[in-house]
Amino acid sequence: MGFVFLRSDILQRGEQRTKKMAKKGLSVQTFDSKLKKSLEVEAAAGNAAKVLQAWRAGQAKAPMPKDLIKPVVQAFIDSEPEALVCELVRHINSHRDSLLNSFTGTTALDVVARSGNIDVMEGLWQAFEHDLHFHRNYVMYEVVLGGYASSGRRDKVRDFTALMQQNKLRLSPRGFSLIIKGFLKNAMLDDTLEYIVLMKQSGHGVPAFAVAQFLRVAGDAGRAAETYALLKEKGVEVQLEAVAVVLDHCARHFNPKLAGQVEKDARAKNIAFSTQCYDALLKVYAEDCNSGASTIFEEMRCAGHTISEGLCVGLLARCAEGKFLSFADEIVAYIRASHGMSIAAYSALMKVYAYSGLYSKACDLYGKIQEDGLEPDNMMYGCLMKFAVECGRTKLSQELSEKVQVLDVHNYMSLIRAAGRDHDVDRAFEIIQRMRQHKEPDAIAYNSVLDVCVKAGALQRAHELIKKMKQLGLLDIISYNTLLKGYCSTGDIVGARAVCEEMTAAGLHPNDVSYNCLLNVAASSANFVEASKVLRSMEESGVKADRYTVSIMLKLLKKLKGSKDAKKCLEFLDCSGIQPCSDEILMNTVLETYMRLKEFQRLEAILQSFEESSMRPSVPTYGSIIKAYASLQRIDKCWYYWEEMQTQRGLQPNEIVFGCMLDALVSNGQVEEAVELFNQTKMKPNAVVCSILIKGFSNAQQPERAMEFWHDMRKKGMKMNTAAYNAMVDVLAKLGNMDKVSEIIQHMAEDDCKPDAITHSTVAKGYAVKGDLDKAMEILRGMQQAKVPHDCIIYNTILDGCAKHRRPDLVDTILDSMGEHGILPTNFTLGILIKVYGRAKQLEKAFDALEMLPKRGKFAPNSAVWTGMMTACLQNNQPARAMKVFQDMREAGDAVDSRMCSSLVTGLVRQRRWREAVEVVDQIYGLRGSQRMDASVDQDTLESLLAALAQSGLREELGTPMLERLRSARVPATGRLMASVILTQDFRGSAPSESQKAKSWKCVGQARG
């Protein structure tokens, strides 16, 4: 629609022509309104054939309105492109006074050009001249040029620019931009450059972003240096944005020559480098061992740009790649003077020395670490032990192993690998025997010893170890692959096949998809075990998974109740190799599945793939995309695709997509924007849309506006449905305004709406909010007597009221009533009961409920229930039982989530159970050799724990060691805030000395690492 706004004069001339016809007494024919409405509806729904049917029914009697030109032309393109030129030209010829104008011609050409149908575009262009004798202006020429460029037709672009010159028409900046954009879309670099130069020669300024994008595409094509030189040769200005693009390319693809040239040219033009430019230059020069890195580093510092410890550590890593020792020393000097050396910085410096083969110098850093008051973590000890072995300092290696109270797997693996280097199988077994004295070796350790056997050619001992690992249940795919490598290295194909058969028999061969028909049978019965077998069979047959296989697995995923099976199913989808964006239906299904399961990381990955794909979404798919981005709280993306759908694609949203956009705004707290969008739309509001806005007012705690909106819609004749009424009832029930609730209920009859189970439950919730639980029970009994179909929601609602208003006396009555009416309890029911009993100091009843209700309701307690049980224990001052609940949940195989972990740690901190809190953190992150959980503790909770430890005088004993373990496990941490908390708590009342600051900043470095 862009040309409409740029050329509004065309539209005005059309309106003036219409007025002149009226003054002359000529009849102004009007397109049938019913057909027009039908056409608009079908266009919004994407029904191209029906759009054409409606248009053909009315086109002979009256000219189509201007707002129908786009959907009609688009319908021809989608359904009958071969008929477009003939029928459109005939229609224009029949209504020349109304349609034979620039607006019609430009609009039609624009739609066709955007569709990429060059044959139709050319046919329409010729018809305008030969059949309609229509004068084509420069805007129309540029539209066609954009179509040719987007289709990669360089010959046609040249022909048309020449034709414009013959007609004494000049390309405008917009025309040049359309051509450049189209060519860049097709990565046609030479042609793009040609028109960039022509644009400059025509006296137009070439946009900086166009040059930057040109260089970005050139870099992706491996032509960054060539195209940069050509731009210089042609005199095209390369500004800061483009400089940053080229330098970033040089850093990613290591092109020091080009980076140096770009730097030289930028300085000649007095371009002030941005932080991004300095960052890229330093990375290139560090890896290239370019002495200019020192100059750049100093310039960046003097210019006031932030030089973070992260950048310094990254530069040290680049120095390691290029063995740039001198610059590494300069960086270390800067870190010492500004930030202070941290474990992360020492680790990076060790890497520099190790890459340079200076293992002894790397070992010497251990003394400096001690001098700085730092303590290496397990990972660093492992590296030091490895370096000591490499340089023959066996005494230091032994000393380091003794420094660690309990060697972790990585430390032992380092010693085992050293034995492997010497092909010393006996020493490798001695090390694992030593490891067994402290903890039972895991699969990683045994696999390391197995690798020593294979390297030494001791396959007999390798087989003996395999048998032992099998008895211990430690065999994995790595074990068999390691053994397989041994046979392959000796050329023993018979032995290799035997290993493959043994691996397959153990069920450790890679999972893939299975025959679709068999898989579908397994999916229909929700039998994941059988589905897994079928997938293995398909792989053995060499049949690859397709989108139907993925669709079947998605169907299976909907039926799975166990979190473990669901996780395995999701892992299959990730590894299937099928791109959901290859098919709209599949993509919509995948988006819906990930949203339903709250798999936000996977959802984000799918949307990223979509953005990188060439898919042109239909209107319903736009709705799914908007919903998906809304669930990720990316309202900016929702707006982007909402606008793209209408302005770029010329598609009109239907009621469902409009509702998706409104819901996206409401669910992300943008109620005012939702109201504005609602007021701007030309769509007729419906009950669903109204319920969305009412929900928005409710979430924003604006019940008055909800009521005002409700009354306004009723005055306008809007007939509400039950869902809209329930939304309104919910607004008032949350406030306990039962008088207004009664008024709403009375109005339901006027709209022929009957209260359903949700209505009654919501009313009951209103009484529960007020604390009138007896009245809520009356609502429940009334439903039961009237035999209104209902589920456990209303029971849970009343139980929740019992929890909030401390009425445990009603619990047994409610549970008995559920049993009498065949209502099964759920996890939500159990969670509320635990909350009720916990607040009533009846912890034993809570444990009884935890044992009995899952059996009665045939469900397994979820994480929210376990969390509630732990909270109840802590509220009743029984932290030991809370810890027991945590362990019971893990033993039950239930997934531990981050919210539960944070709640448990917070509760233990409040109970001043510091050691137990630290123990839980260790278990969650596997900091003491246990398996790491698929969960985390939020940063605020960790910081509260650290502050509490500091305040209790346990910083050195518990706080700092825990930080070291977190850093070694690569747990993200806000180190500055942690150190700040410790510093504040430890030295409150007096200013800390410099030595105390340095000691606290030790925590910063360890956390950042």
Side-chain angles (χ1 to χ4, degrees), residues 472-503:
L472 296 172
L474 297 177
L475 275 179
D476 57 19
I477 190 67
I478 298 174
S479 310
Y480 283 110
N481 282 341
T482 303
L483 187 59
L484 186 64
K485 181 177 66 175
Y487 282 101
C488 291
S489 64
T490 61
D492 187 352
I493 189 65
V494 175
R497 287 176 177 171
V499 172
C500 289
E501 291 174 2
E502 184 180 352
M503 180 169 58

Side-chain angles (χ1 to χ4, degrees), residues 896-909:
V896 177
D897 62 24
S898 300
R899 179 173 174 270
M900 171 189 298
C901 295
S902 299
S903 298
L904 178 57
V905 174
T906 299
L908 291 170
V909 169

Side-chain angles (χ1 to χ4, degrees), residues 248-489:
D248 181 67
H249 168 82
C250 294
R252 287 186 290 109
H253 299 279
F254 185 55
N255 191 335
K257 182 178 179 181
L258 178 59
Q261 185 62 56
V262 172
E263 181 200 358
K264 179 181 177 181
D265 295 339
R267 291 190 185 282
K269 297 176 182 178
N270 294 320
I271 294 177
F273 287 154
S274 62
T275 301
Q276 183 182 0
C277 293
Y278 279 117
D279 185 289
L281 276 172
L282 284 170
K283 288 176 179 177
V284 174
Y285 288 168
E287 189 171 349
D288 190 42
C289 296
N290 189 322
S291 59
S294 300
T295 304
I296 296 292
F297 190 83
E298 180 64 18
E299 181 180 318
M300 182 179 184
R301 186 187 65 79
C302 294
H305 292 278
T306 301
I307 302 178
S308 65
E309 186 190 47
L311 173 59
C312 292
V313 171
L315 291 176
L316 285 173
R318 295 269 182 159
C319 290
E321 296 288 340
K323 303 176 183 179
F324 197 5
L325 296 174
S326 60
F327 186 47
D329 290 337
E330 289 184 38
I331 296 171
V332 170
Y334 173 80
I335 296 175
R336 288 188 186 280
S338 57
H339 306 290
M341 287 294 285
S342 65
I343 291 295
Y346 272 119
S347 295
L349 183 57
M350 279 186 186
K351 183 179 179 181
V352 175
Y353 291 147
Y355 272 57
S356 301
L358 302 175
Y359 296 109
S360 184
K361 197 168 184 178
C363 292
D364 291 340
L365 289 177
Y366 176 61
K368 294 182 179 180
I369 291 172
Q370 290 179 311
E371 290 174 6
D372 286 346
L374 300 176
E375 181 70 24
D377 54 38
N378 284 354
M379 181 176 292
M380 181 173 283
Y381 272 123
C383 292
L384 286 168
M385 290 165 61
K386 177 182 177 181
F387 299 154
V389 171
E390 291 289 340
C391 64
R393 296 170 66 171
T394 54
K395 185 177 179 180
L396 176 60
S397 177
Q398 182 64 29
E399 177 187 340
L400 291 170
S401 64
E402 292 175 355
K403 280 283 185 180
V404 183
Q405 293 181 355
V406 179
L407 291 174
D408 63 16
V409 172
H410 298 289
N411 303 141
Y412 281 112
M413 284 177 62
S414 180
L415 296 175
I416 293 171
R417 289 192 183 106
R421 183 179 177 222
D422 297 331
H423 291 184
D424 192 338
V425 177
D426 291 333
R427 192 188 347 154
F429 277 92
E430 288 174 3
I431 294 169
I432 204 165
Q433 184 63 34
R434 175 185 166 193
M435 181 180 179
R436 192 177 289 112
Q437 296 174 2
H438 299 284
K439 57 175 293 184
E440 188 63 27
D442 59 7
I444 298 175
Y446 277 109
N447 284 334
S448 297
V449 177
L450 186 63
D451 187 63
V452 175
C453 296
V454 168
K455 286 180 178 178
L459 294 181
Q460 182 60 38
R461 296 195 70 175
H463 271 291
E464 294 173 1
L465 185 57
I466 283 283
K467 291 179 181 178
K468 184 172 184 178
M469 292 175 68
K470 189 173 184 179
Q471 293 173 355
L472 296 172
L474 297 177
L475 275 179
D476 57 19
I477 190 67
I478 298 174
S479 310
Y480 283 110
N481 282 341
T482 303
L483 187 59
L484 186 64
K485 181 177 66 175
Y487 282 101
C488 291
S489 64

Side-chain angles (χ1 to χ4, degrees), residues 547-561:
R547 66 175 184 267
Y548 299 107
T549 316
V550 174
S551 297
I552 295 169
M553 292 301 290
L554 288 171
K555 180 173 72 172
L556 173 60
L557 186 56
K558 290 182 179 180
K559 298 181 179 181
L560 292 177
K561 297 182 179 180

